[in-house]
Amino acid sequence: MKDLRNFLLIACLQIGGMSVLAQAQQPAPSYPQSEWQVADAILMHTPGEELFNGILHPSAGLFEDYFSVEKAAEEHLGYIRMLRANGISVRTVKEVLDEAPLDSLRALASRVLTYDVSLLSDVEANESEAYRQEVLAKMSRADLVRCILLQPVVKLRRTPSNTGFEAEYVQRPLMNLYFTRDQSITTPRGHIICRMNSSQRAPETDIIALCYTQLGQRPLLRISGEGRLEGGDYIPAGTLSLIGCGMRTNDEGVRQIMKADAFGHDTIVIVRDHKLWQMQMHLDTYFNVIDKDLCTMVSSRLYAKPNEPEYVTCDIWTRKPGTKAYKQWKTNVPFVSFLKGRGMQIIPIDRDDELHYANNFLTIAPRHIMAVGGQSETLQQRLAAAGVKVEWIPLESLIDGYGAAHCMTQVLRRH
């Protein structure tokens, strides 16, 4: 009987490249090995007042169009409810910051609350800095969080009346923070803090780093210098990491991850975007994964010819198991051919659905996705034919920020 049990264990189906017997011999990984594993914990940020300035000039706010702040918040809360209904633990940035030590909040708020003293004397400037620290020391927790999200600048000047000062108040609010996919990536090794391509988004990474520390998941690496990395370009895929390189992520950012041995996979596939189009700014805007043998790709990329800008290529880096150094194995490989060579079925997403962010879905389990509602009957039939369960989310306001279901989530754990 014992021999029979052992035989059945060894002969069992492979799950993510590892047999059940092998899984039983070691603890399950804390961090995602694959995009199709069951989502267990997610970090999100419900947008609030910091969003308002962004919709006043959507293009400068990195948005596609104007949308209602109130409707956006309602949609986001509805999305969270749907995720929690699937047994997923969702923490919001504000919830985590509300639990953070006051000293940590003050330190972060101190870095972003600016008194512009360029019109004051040196003595007055020194006095103003002492005054700024005094104000920060008195701030409530709620106002510290508000300060962190709004990034205020107080432009001071002297006046002969009243208190002797007057000011112009400017905000640099973090209106894109609700796209919590972008400030970090979560590899099988842990969390990596990104370096954003856009200057107005740069401060977001400090907030997410503080959230990880508060959650007891201290990041293992932070991209620095000339490196650029944004989370929408990263997809863990079983035995390999897929990392987009184009508008928002560069080779130096990828090099830093490989050098630090922070990917956690022995094969790294650098997916090259040659079009550099805002609508397809990240890998997850034109390609996504549903299961170990099923993915999606927008039609313009899937059927592109080698001489067209939509044509996607990839470079493959590998290393021997147990070693740290990666070496380039292949370069300029057609990405579609690479996927098909690995047995991936590719569901095409046509242009109208693409422009409605159909490709930017979140996989929460094998062949189970959360996607923006309102897609074509054709796409619905294609997904159904592939055995995909889809929960359609109403996100009509939020998608005008140039992102959707995948962009709004940072999956902390999968199992």
mmCIF file of all heavy atoms in Angstrom, residues 34-40 42 79 83 88 181 235 288-292 294-296 359-371 388-389 405-406 409 411 413-414:
data_model
loop_
_atom_site.group_PDB
_atom_site.id
_atom_site.type_symbol
_atom_site.label_atom_id
_atom_site.label_comp_id
_atom_site.label_asym_id
_atom_site.label_seq_id
_atom_site.Cartn_x
_atom_site.Cartn_y
_atom_site.Cartn_z
ATOM 1 N N SER A 34 3.783 32.457 -10.778
ATOM 2 C CA SER A 34 3.074 32.523 -12.048
ATOM 3 C C SER A 34 1.884 33.453 -11.951
ATOM 4 O O SER A 34 1.225 33.540 -10.901
ATOM 5 C CB SER A 34 2.580 31.135 -12.466
ATOM 6 O OG SER A 34 3.615 30.179 -12.397
ATOM 7 N N GLU A 35 1.576 34.111 -13.055
ATOM 8 C CA GLU A 35 0.438 35.023 -13.113
ATOM 9 C C GLU A 35 -0.886 34.287 -12.960
ATOM 10 O O GLU A 35 -1.887 34.884 -12.573
ATOM 11 C CB GLU A 35 0.472 35.781 -14.445
ATOM 12 C CG GLU A 35 -0.523 36.915 -14.564
ATOM 13 C CD GLU A 35 -0.143 38.146 -13.759
ATOM 14 O OE1 GLU A 35 0.974 38.187 -13.211
ATOM 15 O OE2 GLU A 35 -0.969 39.076 -13.693
ATOM 16 N N TRP A 36 -0.912 32.982 -13.244
ATOM 17 C CA TRP A 36 -2.162 32.221 -13.195
ATOM 18 C C TRP A 36 -2.398 31.535 -11.849
ATOM 19 O O TRP A 36 -3.424 30.877 -11.671
ATOM 20 C CB TRP A 36 -2.184 31.188 -14.324
ATOM 21 C CG TRP A 36 -1.004 30.262 -14.328
ATOM 22 C CD1 TRP A 36 -0.835 29.132 -13.585
ATOM 23 C CD2 TRP A 36 0.176 30.395 -15.124
ATOM 24 N NE1 TRP A 36 0.377 28.557 -13.851
ATOM 25 C CE2 TRP A 36 1.025 29.298 -14.797
ATOM 26 C CE3 TRP A 36 0.610 31.321 -16.071
ATOM 27 C CZ2 TRP A 36 2.269 29.123 -15.398
ATOM 28 C CZ3 TRP A 36 1.847 31.141 -16.663
ATOM 29 C CH2 TRP A 36 2.665 30.056 -16.333
ATOM 30 N N GLN A 37 -1.506 31.647 -10.917
ATOM 31 C CA GLN A 37 -1.765 31.071 -9.595
ATOM 32 C C GLN A 37 -2.918 31.806 -8.909
ATOM 33 O O GLN A 37 -3.229 32.957 -9.247
ATOM 34 C CB GLN A 37 -0.513 31.177 -8.722
ATOM 35 C CG GLN A 37 0.600 30.227 -9.115
ATOM 36 C CD GLN A 37 1.842 30.464 -8.279
ATOM 37 O OE1 GLN A 37 2.395 31.555 -8.286
ATOM 38 N NE2 GLN A 37 2.294 29.441 -7.574
ATOM 39 N N VAL A 38 -3.516 31.164 -7.940
ATOM 40 C CA VAL A 38 -4.666 31.750 -7.239
ATOM 41 C C VAL A 38 -4.217 32.959 -6.421
ATOM 42 O O VAL A 38 -3.334 32.860 -5.565
ATOM 43 C CB VAL A 38 -5.318 30.703 -6.312
ATOM 44 C CG1 VAL A 38 -6.474 31.335 -5.521
ATOM 45 C CG2 VAL A 38 -5.824 29.520 -7.128
ATOM 46 N N ALA A 39 -4.821 34.102 -6.690
ATOM 47 C CA ALA A 39 -4.490 35.332 -5.968
ATOM 48 C C ALA A 39 -4.982 35.236 -4.532
ATOM 49 O O ALA A 39 -6.113 34.819 -4.272
ATOM 50 C CB ALA A 39 -5.112 36.533 -6.660
ATOM 51 N N ASP A 40 -4.120 35.637 -3.611
ATOM 52 C CA ASP A 40 -4.430 35.500 -2.192
ATOM 53 C C ASP A 40 -4.479 36.847 -1.474
ATOM 54 O O ASP A 40 -5.301 37.069 -0.597
ATOM 55 C CB ASP A 40 -3.379 34.598 -1.530
ATOM 56 C CG ASP A 40 -3.638 34.394 -0.046
ATOM 57 O OD1 ASP A 40 -4.768 34.010 0.302
ATOM 58 O OD2 ASP A 40 -2.725 34.630 0.752
ATOM 59 N N ILE A 42 -3.823 41.297 -2.168
ATOM 60 C CA ILE A 42 -3.621 42.354 -3.153
ATOM 61 C C ILE A 42 -3.559 43.702 -2.441
ATOM 62 O O ILE A 42 -4.304 43.958 -1.499
ATOM 63 C CB ILE A 42 -4.767 42.370 -4.192
ATOM 64 C CG1 ILE A 42 -4.734 41.086 -5.039
ATOM 65 C CG2 ILE A 42 -4.686 43.588 -5.101
ATOM 66 C CD1 ILE A 42 -5.881 40.965 -6.020
ATOM 67 N N TYR A 79 -14.923 47.240 -7.320
ATOM 68 C CA TYR A 79 -13.915 46.261 -7.741
ATOM 69 C C TYR A 79 -13.340 45.528 -6.525
ATOM 70 O O TYR A 79 -13.203 44.295 -6.532
ATOM 71 C CB TYR A 79 -12.826 46.996 -8.507
ATOM 72 C CG TYR A 79 -11.727 46.148 -9.110
ATOM 73 C CD1 TYR A 79 -11.845 44.771 -9.271
ATOM 74 C CD2 TYR A 79 -10.545 46.750 -9.554
ATOM 75 C CE1 TYR A 79 -10.837 44.019 -9.829
ATOM 76 C CE2 TYR A 79 -9.520 46.006 -10.121
ATOM 77 C CZ TYR A 79 -9.669 44.639 -10.253
ATOM 78 O OH TYR A 79 -8.664 43.897 -10.813
ATOM 79 N N LEU A 83 -13.367 41.441 -5.631
ATOM 80 C CA LEU A 83 -12.178 40.664 -5.297
ATOM 81 C C LEU A 83 -12.343 39.955 -3.954
ATOM 82 O O LEU A 83 -12.016 38.771 -3.813
ATOM 83 C CB LEU A 83 -10.952 41.574 -5.268
ATOM 84 C CG LEU A 83 -10.469 42.103 -6.631
ATOM 85 C CD1 LEU A 83 -9.458 43.229 -6.438
ATOM 86 C CD2 LEU A 83 -9.858 40.987 -7.462
ATOM 87 N N ILE A 88 -10.243 36.913 -1.691
ATOM 88 C CA ILE A 88 -8.939 37.569 -1.766
ATOM 89 C C ILE A 88 -8.853 38.664 -0.707
ATOM 90 O O ILE A 88 -9.779 39.468 -0.560
ATOM 91 C CB ILE A 88 -8.723 38.169 -3.171
ATOM 92 C CG1 ILE A 88 -8.774 37.068 -4.223
ATOM 93 C CG2 ILE A 88 -7.400 38.913 -3.232
ATOM 94 C CD1 ILE A 88 -8.818 37.586 -5.645
ATOM 95 N N ARG A 181 -0.113 48.774 -9.599
ATOM 96 C CA ARG A 181 0.728 47.810 -10.300
ATOM 97 C C ARG A 181 2.121 48.381 -10.576
ATOM 98 O O ARG A 181 3.112 47.630 -10.612
ATOM 99 C CB ARG A 181 0.061 47.441 -11.630
ATOM 100 C CG ARG A 181 0.848 46.544 -12.563
ATOM 101 C CD ARG A 181 0.988 45.132 -12.064
ATOM 102 N NE ARG A 181 -0.256 44.533 -11.654
ATOM 103 C CZ ARG A 181 -0.402 43.259 -11.359
ATOM 104 N NH1 ARG A 181 0.634 42.446 -11.413
ATOM 105 N NH2 ARG A 181 -1.574 42.787 -10.961
ATOM 106 N N ILE A 235 5.544 40.210 -15.807
ATOM 107 C CA ILE A 235 4.599 39.098 -15.651
ATOM 108 C C ILE A 235 5.395 37.842 -15.297
ATOM 109 O O ILE A 235 6.217 37.375 -16.093
ATOM 110 C CB ILE A 235 3.789 38.849 -16.939
ATOM 111 C CG1 ILE A 235 2.919 40.075 -17.276
ATOM 112 C CG2 ILE A 235 2.902 37.613 -16.798
ATOM 113 C CD1 ILE A 235 2.151 39.962 -18.577
ATOM 114 N N ASN A 288 -1.273 39.559 -22.147
ATOM 115 C CA ASN A 288 -1.593 39.156 -20.782
ATOM 116 C C ASN A 288 -1.724 37.639 -20.729
ATOM 117 O O ASN A 288 -1.838 36.972 -21.764
ATOM 118 C CB ASN A 288 -2.888 39.830 -20.306
ATOM 119 C CG ASN A 288 -2.907 40.070 -18.803
ATOM 120 O OD1 ASN A 288 -2.190 39.423 -18.045
ATOM 121 N ND2 ASN A 288 -3.740 40.998 -18.360
ATOM 122 N N VAL A 289 -1.706 37.094 -19.519
ATOM 123 C CA VAL A 289 -1.682 35.642 -19.326
ATOM 124 C C VAL A 289 -2.886 35.198 -18.509
ATOM 125 O O VAL A 289 -3.219 35.810 -17.486
ATOM 126 C CB VAL A 289 -0.376 35.213 -18.615
ATOM 127 C CG1 VAL A 289 -0.380 33.725 -18.342
ATOM 128 C CG2 VAL A 289 0.832 35.578 -19.469
ATOM 129 N N ILE A 290 -3.526 34.122 -18.954
ATOM 130 C CA ILE A 290 -4.713 33.582 -18.282
ATOM 131 C C ILE A 290 -4.411 32.250 -17.609
ATOM 132 O O ILE A 290 -4.955 31.934 -16.555
ATOM 133 C CB ILE A 290 -5.869 33.411 -19.279
ATOM 134 C CG1 ILE A 290 -6.237 34.768 -19.900
ATOM 135 C CG2 ILE A 290 -7.094 32.789 -18.622
ATOM 136 C CD1 ILE A 290 -7.312 34.684 -20.974
ATOM 137 N N ASP A 291 -3.545 31.458 -18.218
ATOM 138 C CA ASP A 291 -3.196 30.140 -17.682
ATOM 139 C C ASP A 291 -1.839 29.750 -18.256
ATOM 140 O O ASP A 291 -1.277 30.453 -19.098
ATOM 141 C CB ASP A 291 -4.268 29.115 -18.072
ATOM 142 C CG ASP A 291 -4.317 27.921 -17.116
ATOM 143 O OD1 ASP A 291 -3.363 27.735 -16.333
ATOM 144 O OD2 ASP A 291 -5.311 27.156 -17.166
ATOM 145 N N LYS A 292 -1.320 28.623 -17.814
ATOM 146 C CA LYS A 292 0.011 28.209 -18.248
ATOM 147 C C LYS A 292 0.089 27.970 -19.748
ATOM 148 O O LYS A 292 1.178 27.990 -20.337
ATOM 149 C CB LYS A 292 0.457 26.961 -17.489
ATOM 150 C CG LYS A 292 -0.410 25.724 -17.705
ATOM 151 C CD LYS A 292 0.119 24.579 -16.880
ATOM 152 C CE LYS A 292 -0.724 23.309 -17.062
ATOM 153 N NZ LYS A 292 -2.096 23.499 -16.518
ATOM 154 N N LEU A 294 -2.403 29.542 -21.947
ATOM 155 C CA LEU A 294 -3.388 30.429 -22.557
ATOM 156 C C LEU A 294 -3.054 31.885 -22.253
ATOM 157 O O LEU A 294 -2.784 32.245 -21.109
ATOM 158 C CB LEU A 294 -4.794 30.110 -22.025
ATOM 159 C CG LEU A 294 -5.951 30.894 -22.631
ATOM 160 C CD1 LEU A 294 -6.117 30.569 -24.109
ATOM 161 C CD2 LEU A 294 -7.248 30.604 -21.871
ATOM 162 N N CYS A 295 -3.075 32.714 -23.298
ATOM 163 C CA CYS A 295 -2.786 34.129 -23.125
ATOM 164 C C CYS A 295 -3.615 34.945 -24.112
ATOM 165 O O CYS A 295 -4.324 34.385 -24.950
ATOM 166 C CB CYS A 295 -1.298 34.414 -23.319
ATOM 167 S SG CYS A 295 -0.675 34.041 -24.975
ATOM 168 N N THR A 296 -3.509 36.260 -24.022
ATOM 169 C CA THR A 296 -4.170 37.155 -24.961
ATOM 170 C C THR A 296 -3.129 38.093 -25.568
ATOM 171 O O THR A 296 -2.077 38.341 -24.967
ATOM 172 C CB THR A 296 -5.248 38.006 -24.273
ATOM 173 O OG1 THR A 296 -4.636 38.803 -23.249
ATOM 174 C CG2 THR A 296 -6.340 37.141 -23.661
ATOM 175 N N ASN A 359 -7.605 43.968 -22.715
ATOM 176 C CA ASN A 359 -6.422 43.160 -22.423
ATOM 177 C C ASN A 359 -5.892 43.369 -21.012
ATOM 178 O O ASN A 359 -5.162 42.540 -20.488
ATOM 179 C CB ASN A 359 -5.309 43.465 -23.427
ATOM 180 C CG ASN A 359 -4.164 42.481 -23.339
ATOM 181 O OD1 ASN A 359 -4.270 41.356 -23.806
ATOM 182 N ND2 ASN A 359 -3.061 42.887 -22.736
ATOM 183 N N ASN A 360 -6.279 44.462 -20.366
ATOM 184 C CA ASN A 360 -5.737 44.789 -19.058
ATOM 185 C C ASN A 360 -6.592 44.167 -17.942
ATOM 186 O O ASN A 360 -7.098 44.846 -17.062
ATOM 187 C CB ASN A 360 -5.640 46.308 -18.887
ATOM 188 C CG ASN A 360 -4.698 46.709 -17.773
ATOM 189 O OD1 ASN A 360 -5.115 47.157 -16.715
ATOM 190 N ND2 ASN A 360 -3.410 46.543 -17.999
ATOM 191 N N PHE A 361 -6.735 42.851 -17.998
ATOM 192 C CA PHE A 361 -7.516 42.106 -17.003
ATOM 193 C C PHE A 361 -6.591 41.563 -15.920
ATOM 194 O O PHE A 361 -5.367 41.513 -16.078
ATOM 195 C CB PHE A 361 -8.282 40.961 -17.671
ATOM 196 C CG PHE A 361 -7.410 40.016 -18.449
ATOM 197 C CD1 PHE A 361 -6.700 38.993 -17.819
ATOM 198 C CD2 PHE A 361 -7.292 40.136 -19.833
ATOM 199 C CE1 PHE A 361 -5.883 38.126 -18.534
ATOM 200 C CE2 PHE A 361 -6.479 39.275 -20.564
ATOM 201 C CZ PHE A 361 -5.776 38.270 -19.918
ATOM 202 N N LEU A 362 -7.181 41.125 -14.808
ATOM 203 C CA LEU A 362 -6.434 40.499 -13.721
ATOM 204 C C LEU A 362 -6.804 39.030 -13.639
ATOM 205 O O LEU A 362 -7.981 38.691 -13.482
ATOM 206 C CB LEU A 362 -6.743 41.180 -12.392
ATOM 207 C CG LEU A 362 -6.097 40.530 -11.158
ATOM 208 C CD1 LEU A 362 -4.580 40.716 -11.183
ATOM 209 C CD2 LEU A 362 -6.688 41.087 -9.870
ATOM 210 N N THR A 363 -5.818 38.160 -13.734
ATOM 211 C CA THR A 363 -6.044 36.731 -13.547
ATOM 212 C C THR A 363 -5.987 36.424 -12.051
ATOM 213 O O THR A 363 -4.985 36.699 -11.396
ATOM 214 C CB THR A 363 -4.982 35.907 -14.299
ATOM 215 O OG1 THR A 363 -5.073 36.201 -15.696
ATOM 216 C CG2 THR A 363 -5.193 34.425 -14.088
ATOM 217 N N ILE A 364 -7.066 35.867 -11.514
ATOM 218 C CA ILE A 364 -7.094 35.563 -10.086
ATOM 219 C C ILE A 364 -7.000 34.065 -9.799
ATOM 220 O O ILE A 364 -6.856 33.652 -8.651
ATOM 221 C CB ILE A 364 -8.349 36.154 -9.392
ATOM 222 C CG1 ILE A 364 -9.634 35.570 -9.959
ATOM 223 C CG2 ILE A 364 -8.346 37.679 -9.511
ATOM 224 C CD1 ILE A 364 -10.884 35.961 -9.165
ATOM 225 N N ALA A 365 -7.078 33.248 -10.856
ATOM 226 C CA ALA A 365 -6.912 31.803 -10.747
ATOM 227 C C ALA A 365 -6.785 31.282 -12.180
ATOM 228 O O ALA A 365 -7.089 32.005 -13.137
ATOM 229 C CB ALA A 365 -8.112 31.162 -10.042
ATOM 230 N N PRO A 366 -6.336 30.034 -12.370
ATOM 231 C CA PRO A 366 -6.246 29.520 -13.738
ATOM 232 C C PRO A 366 -7.582 29.640 -14.471
ATOM 233 O O PRO A 366 -8.623 29.191 -13.979
ATOM 234 C CB PRO A 366 -5.864 28.047 -13.530
ATOM 235 C CG PRO A 366 -5.151 28.026 -12.215
ATOM 236 C CD PRO A 366 -5.857 29.044 -11.381
ATOM 237 N N ARG A 367 -7.561 30.336 -15.621
ATOM 238 C CA ARG A 367 -8.740 30.539 -16.457
ATOM 239 C C ARG A 367 -9.885 31.247 -15.729
ATOM 240 O O ARG A 367 -11.058 31.019 -16.008
ATOM 241 C CB ARG A 367 -9.215 29.218 -17.070
ATOM 242 C CG ARG A 367 -8.390 28.781 -18.285
ATOM 243 C CD ARG A 367 -8.794 27.412 -18.814
ATOM 244 N NE ARG A 367 -8.378 27.194 -20.177
ATOM 245 C CZ ARG A 367 -7.125 26.983 -20.593
ATOM 246 N NH1 ARG A 367 -6.143 26.955 -19.691
ATOM 247 N NH2 ARG A 367 -6.853 26.800 -21.862
ATOM 248 N N HIS A 368 -9.532 32.128 -14.812
ATOM 249 C CA HIS A 368 -10.520 32.935 -14.083
ATOM 250 C C HIS A 368 -9.969 34.360 -14.020
ATOM 251 O O HIS A 368 -8.940 34.600 -13.375
ATOM 252 C CB HIS A 368 -10.727 32.370 -12.685
ATOM 253 C CG HIS A 368 -11.809 33.060 -11.902
ATOM 254 N ND1 HIS A 368 -12.199 32.642 -10.630
ATOM 255 C CD2 HIS A 368 -12.598 34.134 -12.193
ATOM 256 C CE1 HIS A 368 -13.152 33.435 -10.192
ATOM 257 N NE2 HIS A 368 -13.412 34.351 -11.118
ATOM 258 N N ILE A 369 -10.636 35.287 -14.694
ATOM 259 C CA ILE A 369 -10.126 36.649 -14.784
ATOM 260 C C ILE A 369 -11.175 37.678 -14.370
ATOM 261 O O ILE A 369 -12.377 37.418 -14.400
ATOM 262 C CB ILE A 369 -9.615 36.980 -16.208
ATOM 263 C CG1 ILE A 369 -10.773 36.992 -17.220
ATOM 264 C CG2 ILE A 369 -8.534 35.994 -16.635
ATOM 265 C CD1 ILE A 369 -10.344 37.436 -18.620
ATOM 266 N N MET A 370 -10.682 38.852 -13.983
ATOM 267 C CA MET A 370 -11.512 40.029 -13.714
ATOM 268 C C MET A 370 -11.189 41.036 -14.805
ATOM 269 O O MET A 370 -10.031 41.434 -14.960
ATOM 270 C CB MET A 370 -11.190 40.622 -12.347
ATOM 271 C CG MET A 370 -11.111 39.626 -11.204
ATOM 272 S SD MET A 370 -12.721 39.126 -10.611
ATOM 273 C CE MET A 370 -13.207 40.554 -9.644
ATOM 274 N N ALA A 371 -12.214 41.440 -15.590
ATOM 275 C CA ALA A 371 -11.958 42.274 -16.755
ATOM 276 C C ALA A 371 -12.974 43.403 -16.862
ATOM 277 O O ALA A 371 -14.076 43.328 -16.301
ATOM 278 C CB ALA A 371 -12.000 41.418 -18.028
ATOM 279 N N VAL A 388 -12.706 30.088 -20.212
ATOM 280 C CA VAL A 388 -12.326 31.145 -19.279
ATOM 281 C C VAL A 388 -13.562 31.684 -18.554
ATOM 282 O O VAL A 388 -14.552 32.051 -19.186
ATOM 283 C CB VAL A 388 -11.623 32.308 -20.014
ATOM 284 C CG1 VAL A 388 -11.220 33.396 -19.023
ATOM 285 C CG2 VAL A 388 -10.408 31.794 -20.770
ATOM 286 N N LYS A 389 -13.484 31.719 -17.243
ATOM 287 C CA LYS A 389 -14.518 32.363 -16.439
ATOM 288 C C LYS A 389 -14.151 33.844 -16.302
ATOM 289 O O LYS A 389 -13.060 34.172 -15.857
ATOM 290 C CB LYS A 389 -14.606 31.723 -15.054
ATOM 291 C CG LYS A 389 -15.620 32.404 -14.128
ATOM 292 C CD LYS A 389 -15.637 31.760 -12.743
ATOM 293 C CE LYS A 389 -16.610 32.477 -11.816
ATOM 294 N NZ LYS A 389 -16.624 31.865 -10.458
ATOM 295 N N ALA A 405 -8.104 46.907 -14.898
ATOM 296 C CA ALA A 405 -8.139 45.965 -13.773
ATOM 297 C C ALA A 405 -6.761 45.488 -13.339
ATOM 298 O O ALA A 405 -6.488 45.356 -12.140
ATOM 299 C CB ALA A 405 -9.019 44.767 -14.141
ATOM 300 N N HIS A 406 -5.878 45.204 -14.280
ATOM 301 C CA HIS A 406 -4.537 44.730 -13.936
ATOM 302 C C HIS A 406 -3.708 45.856 -13.334
ATOM 303 O O HIS A 406 -3.020 45.680 -12.327
ATOM 304 C CB HIS A 406 -3.855 44.170 -15.186
ATOM 305 C CG HIS A 406 -2.641 43.352 -14.910
ATOM 306 N ND1 HIS A 406 -1.360 43.832 -15.055
ATOM 307 C CD2 HIS A 406 -2.503 42.064 -14.494
ATOM 308 C CE1 HIS A 406 -0.492 42.880 -14.750
ATOM 309 N NE2 HIS A 406 -1.152 41.787 -14.408
ATOM 310 N N THR A 409 -3.952 46.834 -9.441
ATOM 311 C CA THR A 409 -3.688 45.838 -8.400
ATOM 312 C C THR A 409 -2.207 45.483 -8.337
ATOM 313 O O THR A 409 -1.547 45.366 -9.367
ATOM 314 C CB THR A 409 -4.468 44.541 -8.690
ATOM 315 O OG1 THR A 409 -4.080 44.039 -9.977
ATOM 316 C CG2 THR A 409 -5.968 44.786 -8.668
ATOM 317 N N VAL A 411 -0.482 42.289 -6.799
ATOM 318 C CA VAL A 411 -0.737 41.005 -6.138
ATOM 319 C C VAL A 411 0.462 40.660 -5.268
ATOM 320 O O VAL A 411 1.572 40.442 -5.764
ATOM 321 C CB VAL A 411 -1.005 39.894 -7.161
ATOM 322 C CG1 VAL A 411 -1.296 38.575 -6.439
ATOM 323 C CG2 VAL A 411 -2.197 40.275 -8.065
ATOM 324 N N ARG A 413 0.563 38.083 -2.891
ATOM 325 C CA ARG A 413 0.721 36.626 -2.699
ATOM 326 C C ARG A 413 -0.189 35.869 -3.652
ATOM 327 O O ARG A 413 -1.315 36.297 -3.909
ATOM 328 C CB ARG A 413 0.378 36.221 -1.260
ATOM 329 C CG ARG A 413 1.326 36.693 -0.198
ATOM 330 C CD ARG A 413 1.095 35.940 1.126
ATOM 331 N NE ARG A 413 -0.290 35.968 1.524
ATOM 332 C CZ ARG A 413 -0.857 36.920 2.279
ATOM 333 N NH1 ARG A 413 -0.127 37.938 2.687
ATOM 334 N NH2 ARG A 413 -2.125 36.862 2.633
ATOM 335 N N ARG A 414 0.295 34.759 -4.124
ATOM 336 C CA ARG A 414 -0.509 33.788 -4.870
ATOM 337 C C ARG A 414 -0.175 32.409 -4.328
ATOM 338 O O ARG A 414 0.900 32.190 -3.798
ATOM 339 C CB ARG A 414 -0.223 33.858 -6.374
ATOM 340 C CG ARG A 414 -0.719 35.129 -7.081
ATOM 341 C CD ARG A 414 -0.443 35.061 -8.577
ATOM 342 N NE ARG A 414 -0.814 36.268 -9.300
ATOM 343 C CZ ARG A 414 -2.011 36.469 -9.877
ATOM 344 N NH1 ARG A 414 -2.922 35.524 -9.800
ATOM 345 N NH2 ARG A 414 -2.259 37.594 -10.525
#
